[in-house]
Amino acid sequence: MTHASSNASTCALVVDDDEMVRMAAIDILEEAGFTTFEAASGDMALLVLEEHHACLTLLFTDVQMPGLHDGFALARKVARTYPHISIVVASGQIKPQPNDLPDGAHFIGKPFSARIVHHHLHEVLPDEQKPDLLRKKNPS
């Protein structure tokens, strides 16, 4: 599913099996200026990535999900296959161990707020990949 915002040219993929958490993350990212795609599992995310990887600049994924690819495996695969995509991994139950996250990926705990997400987006995204709205906001 795609949620297009009016003037966004920067796309993000939100992956979480909990629909409420996924919708909250989508709202935060769309308010920051992203056009969003969503998936309920790592396996579904790989299908979205195959089709839309050229426009995606951010993967925002949960860790624990059904299917063959949890969030850590998805993050590592995206980093290898689509190195232009920045990665944020979130979990309320699991903290990353050494080698769980690819280089450059950020981890945030759940529950998260827009302020926390925006702070990590300022850190993980190169300036040219930030939507205009996010570039204008000062991280706090």
Side-chain angles (χ1 to χ4, degrees):
M1 181 179 221
T2 305
H3 301 266
S5 57
S6 58
N7 59 359
S9 60
T10 306
C11 299
L13 172 58
V14 178
V15 188
D16 199 306
D17 61 322
D18 183 322
E19 185 175 2
M20 297 301 289
V21 175
R22 191 170 66 244
M23 296 311 295
I26 286 169
D27 287 346
I28 290 169
L29 294 175
E30 287 182 350
E31 287 172 7
F34 285 91
T35 297
T36 58
F37 295 89
E38 65 179 278
S41 71
D43 301 334
M44 289 173 60
L46 291 174
L47 297 174
V48 174
L49 282 157
E50 277 182 39
E51 187 173 346
H52 300 286
H53 64 87
C55 78
L56 288 167
T57 58
L58 176 69
L59 169 67
F60 189 96
T61 184
D62 183 27
V63 174
Q64 293 179 293
M65 296 179 288
L68 297 175
H69 296 87
D70 70 5
F72 292 139
L74 177 62
R76 290 188 302 269
K77 185 171 182 86
V78 166
R80 278 190 316 272
T81 310
Y82 309 108
H84 68 280
I85 298 176
S86 297
I87 300 168
V88 174
V89 178
S91 180
Q93 298 178 348
I94 296 176
K95 298 223 187 280
Q97 299 301 309
N99 301 316
D100 278 344
L101 292 175
D103 290 342
H106 278 230
F107 178 83
I108 60 174
K110 289 181 182 178
F112 48 77
S113 65
R115 184 181 63 77
I116 291 169
V117 171
H118 290 175
H119 171 77
H120 284 277
L121 294 177
H122 277 281
E123 296 288 318
V124 75
L125 287 166
D127 283 340
E128 66 274 7
Q129 289 185 344
K130 291 175 185 165
D132 289 340
L133 290 173
L134 192 60
R135 273 187 241 168
K136 293 174 186 171
K137 290 183 180 179
N138 190 9
S140 40

